[in-house]
Amino acid sequence: ERSASRQAKKKVVAVVGGGLVGALNACFFANRGFDVELYESREDIRRAKVVKGRSINLALSHRGRQALKHVGLEEKIVSQGIQMQARMIHSLNGKQSPIPYGKKGQYILSVDRANLNKELLTAAESYPNTKMNFDHKLQDWNAETGLMTFVRSDGSKEQAKADLIVGCDGAFSAIRKQFLRRSRFDYSQTYIPHGYMELTMPPINGEFAMKPNYLHIWPRNTFMMIALPNLDKTFTCTLFMPFEEFEKITTGDEVIEFFQKYFPDTIPLIGVNTLQRDYFRLPAQAMVSVKCNPYHIGDVCVLMGDAAHAVVPFYGQGMNAGFEDCIVFDEIMDQFNEDFSAVLPEYTRVRVPDDHAIADLAMYNYIEMRAHVNSKWFIFRKRVDNILHFLMPKTIIPLYTMVTFTRTRYHEAVKQWHWQNKVINRGLLLSAVGAVLGGSYLLIKHPPDLSKLIVSAEEMWDRLVALRTP
Ligand SMILES: Cc1cc2nc3c(=O)[nH]c(=O)nc-3n(C[C@H](O)[C@H](O)[C@H](O)COP(=O)(O)OP(=O)(O)OC[C@H]3O[C@@H](n4cnc5c(N)ncnc54)[C@H](O)[C@@H]3O)c2cc1C
Ligand SMILES: COc1ccc2c(c1)CN(c1nc(C(=O)N(C)c3cc(Cl)c(F)cc3C(=O)O)c(Cl)s1)C2
């Protein structure tokens, strides 16, 4: 009866939202023996056919993998992903330049979103102390009593209570609505002028149309396209462009004209008909950046994933950050012996600076990519990063390496990056000053015979003239 009484004492945790973070969180809480009730507005996607309008595949990196490892899912998910060892930069002239992410073992993974969500839901459901409630859309909840109201697709309503409510209901979270009504709740959201559209690059003769183990990028300043490989040998290409540019392209010919101008090498790879069909299949989707603080209310409710911090995708970290939220919360549960009144405030204190840092980084990278990142610049910057890292591996760690391949706290990675920039800029400044001082010293010490210099310049001129005279 000891376990029965222990079981009776165990609290009920309601996870609202059965997307990537909610489904994973259900596993974390179920692992701890809580009674988990998962509520998801959509039908069970394992029965539905296609989930439209979301990014079809995503880049999974270290932070996300560590969270999956925590619930014993890393191997399974990694085995269903495709390794991307390097970026493949496509220049306007069709030249392809690979830039490795790091040493051999350092790669990121392209994983299918729907498949990942299904695996996570199945894992959550496998716990005897987890109940899945699909077709349950949270309409409202009460911060004092923890009472939630759900509406079903047949219009009926259901109420439920929980000891802890975990809001994982995405960027447009209904749970967060209650937070907005309370004083001292900071909230900001920014829609960027760019939209994104997904296009499929089919296999050619049953084979990948491009090299599969790469994150393909076509950086064109205002425009950008990236492509991630899928297990069915297709690529999902994501085109990023200002909405006003999307709106200018209204006919099939204009689509081809546009791609001919900016992404000519992709036309034979995607195919004219596929390109024209996919381009008009769905409208371009918006991208929003949401920051808020605090992430909790009392000992009753906590926000995680996009519900707490939706980020623009220009670092491939949204899901990875949401997955890392689950590990951080779990670690704090250990520290404070699952006492929600201590765990929740500590989670806000620890996690807000990091999730705000990755939101800022992603936005910074968006502005940087939009401003002046074309192929040459991208290649140059990444090569400089890699050379400096090679020369001073302990001192200079590229920012994307800290973000993508370590669990360095996001806000500490940013601090380290600012410090490194100062050192590099000062270093460059010093070497520039050194060169000027050294050069002028040599000029003073050994002044060149200016007359000889002029002669050789004249001689050069004569030769040039001779060259051009037919
Ligand atoms: C174009 C694009 C590319 C991206 N690429 C990457 C990438 O490469 N790597 C990466 O790490 N991240 C990437 N992301 C970010 C990633 O998609 C999100 O961070 C991730 O999906 C967040 O997961 P989540 O579970 O918090 O929210 P969501 O995935 O949005 O899930 C929310 C869930 O809650 C449900 N829900 C919503 N409202 C309610 C309600 N009222 N009641 C009940 N349920 C509700 C929804 O149906 C959904 O199932 C990308 C995003 C975009 C837009
Ligand atoms: C499915 O839709 C999407 C949409 C955007 C992304 C992803 C998947 C995956 N993304 C990754 N970004 C990084 C990164 O750190 N940086 C700085 C980069 C940022 C941009 Cl925008 C880029 F094009 C390349 C790199 C790069 O370095 O390769 C990774 Cl590492 S993975 C962006």
Side-chain angles (χ1 to χ4, degrees):
E1 74 286 351
R2 213 180 75 76
S3 67
S5 65
R6 197 175 68 79
Q7 202 50 30
K9 205 163 58 41
K10 267 295 170 192
K11 296 182 172 169
V12 175
V13 174
V15 176
V16 178
L20 299 174
V21 176
L24 177 67
N25 241 337
C27 298
F28 270 81
F29 284 101
N31 245 346
R32 286 183 168 273
F34 288 102
D35 278 343
V36 177
E37 293 279 349
L38 184 128
Y39 299 98
E40 162 57 43
S41 53
R42 293 176 298 174
E43 285 300 335
D44 186 345
I45 58 166
R46 291 170 293 176
R47 303 211 185 91
K49 276 186 306 307
V50 182
V51 179
K52 66 183 189 312
R54 313 300 312 271
S55 88
I56 293 164
N57 53 15
L58 315 115
L60 172 69
S61 45
H62 183 70
R63 295 169 200 268
R65 287 183 58 164
Q66 288 297 96
L68 291 169
K69 187 175 179 178
H70 234 85
V71 292
L73 286 170
E74 184 186 22
E75 290 311 308
K76 178 191 268 265
I77 301 302
V78 168
S79 68
Q80 293 164 16
I82 299 179
Q83 292 186 14
M84 298 187 283
Q85 309 274 354
R87 310 139 178 112
M88 185 62 88
I89 314 297
H90 293 248
S91 301
L92 204 49
N93 61 15
K95 185 168 172 294
Q96 297 190 29
S97 318
I99 305 181
Y101 277 114
K103 296 176 281 300
K104 201 81 194 107
Q106 283 192 317
Y107 55 83
I108 54 179
L109 285 146
S110 173
V111 295
D112 178 87
R113 171 195 286 277
N115 177 61
L116 175 56
N117 207 158
K118 290 174 187 172
E119 292 290 4
L120 289 167
L121 287 170
T122 302
E125 195 173 51
S126 69
Y127 293 89
N129 46 321
T130 298
K131 185 163 176 300
M132 319 289 277
N133 306 279
F134 294 105
D135 180 23
H136 278 69
K137 185 177 176 66
L138 180 109
Q139 194 178 55
D140 207 351
W141 68 284
N142 178 303
E144 273 60 51
T145 61
L147 184 73
M148 299 169 285
T149 307
F150 297 95
V151 66
R152 318 291 311 275
S153 47
D154 61 7
S156 65
K157 291 199 177 183
E158 257 181 55
Q159 295 207 312
K161 260 178 78 74
D163 297 299
L164 177 67
I165 299 171
V166 187
C168 302
D169 47 344
F172 308 101
S173 163
I175 291 280
R176 195 178 59 217
K177 255 176 18 205
Q178 269 304 333
F179 285 68
L180 282 159
R181 295 180 184 153
R182 299 167 68 93
S183 83
R184 300 184 62 203
F185 177 64
D186 297 330
Y187 177 78
S188 71
Q189 75 179 41
T190 311
Y191 279 93
I192 57 174
H194 275 64
Y196 73 90
M197 176 182 284
E198 279 160 337
L199 306 162
T200 302
M201 183 183 285
I204 295 178
N205 303 327
E207 263 316 302
F208 280 104
M210 303 185 293
K211 289 195 177 115
N213 297 103
Y214 293 86
L215 190 150
H216 292 264
I217 310 169
W218 292 260
R220 301 287 185 270
N221 290 0
T222 333
F223 311 132
M224 184 181 80
M225 190 153 75
I226 71 161
L228 276 68
N230 297 307
L231 285 178
D232 62 359
K233 297 193 189 303
T234 61
F235 279 91
T236 300
C237 306
T238 308
L239 171 63
F240 296 98
M241 199 157 71
F243 278 103
E244 63 194 21
E245 297 297 329
F246 276 114
E247 284 144 19
K248 286 179 194 165
I249 299 171
T250 55
T251 69
D253 290 348
E254 285 167 346
V255 175
I256 302 304
E257 212 175 294
F258 175 78
F259 270 75
Q260 192 55 51
K261 189 171 178 201
Y262 293 103
F263 312 109
D265 59 325
T266 63
I267 295 178
L269 300 176
I270 298 176
V272 170
N273 297 332
T274 313
L275 186 50
Q276 292 177 323
R277 184 201 64 203
D278 278 5
Y279 185 89
F280 294 107
R281 186 174 55 89
L282 273 173
Q285 314 266 318
M287 288 172 279
V288 70
S289 177
V290 170
K291 285 165 84 169
C292 71
N293 178 19
Y295 287 163
H296 75 287
I297 290 178
D299 60 354
V300 176
C301 184
V302 62
L303 298 172
M304 293 198 209
D306 276 19
H309 49 76
V311 298
V312 290
F314 299 92
Y315 237 105
Q317 281 297 313
M319 165 192 64
N320 286 288
F323 280 9
E324 191 176 49
D325 288 351
C326 304
I327 314 179
V328 172
F329 189 86
D330 199 57
E331 286 163 352
I332 296 172
M333 285 279 268
D334 283 337
Q335 280 164 21
F336 292 86
N337 193 24
E338 301 186 353
D339 169 6
F340 295 154
S341 60
V343 169
L344 270 57
E346 178 69 1
Y347 176 72
T348 284
R349 187 187 72 79
V350 167
R351 195 60 183 162
V352 163
D354 289 327
D355 286 329
H356 284 197
I358 188 58
D360 296 341
L361 269 184
M363 189 62 84
Y364 167 85
N365 206 41
Y366 159 67
I367 291 161
E368 167 110 348
M369 299 287 284
R370 178 184 69 177
H372 48 238
V373 177
N374 52 32
S375 320
K376 285 177 198 54
W377 175 257
F378 194 103
I379 295 164
F380 170 71
R381 279 302 307 269
K382 295 297 171 191
R383 292 225 161 115
V384 165
D385 275 354
N386 291 347
I387 291 166
L388 287 174
H389 181 48
F390 175 75
L391 293 174
M392 300 169 269
K394 288 274 173 285
T395 323
I396 305 290
I397 307 168
L399 179 59
Y400 83 84
T401 305
M402 289 190 274
V403 167
T404 310
F405 295 108
T406 78
R407 279 206 55 210
T408 308
R409 291 184 64 182
Y410 286 125
H411 89 275
E412 279 167 5
V414 171
K415 258 184 354 200
Q416 166 77 8
W417 175 55
H418 285 150
W419 178 80
Q420 285 175 179
N421 285 348
K422 220 165 52 188
V423 164
I424 294 172
N425 295 341
R426 195 167 297 162
L428 291 177
L429 189 71
L430 277 179
S431 45
V433 167
V436 167
L437 288 177
S440 41
Y441 170 75
L442 288 174
L443 277 172
I444 292 161
K445 197 96 175 103
H446 312 289
D449 174 350
L450 278 181
S451 59
K452 265 208 212 99
L453 212 66
I454 290 168
V455 165
S456 62
E458 272 175 352
E459 204 175 285
M460 202 92 108
W461 180 253
D462 295 347
R463 282 208 202 135
L464 266 177
V465 168
L467 264 180
R468 292 178 61 80
T469 319

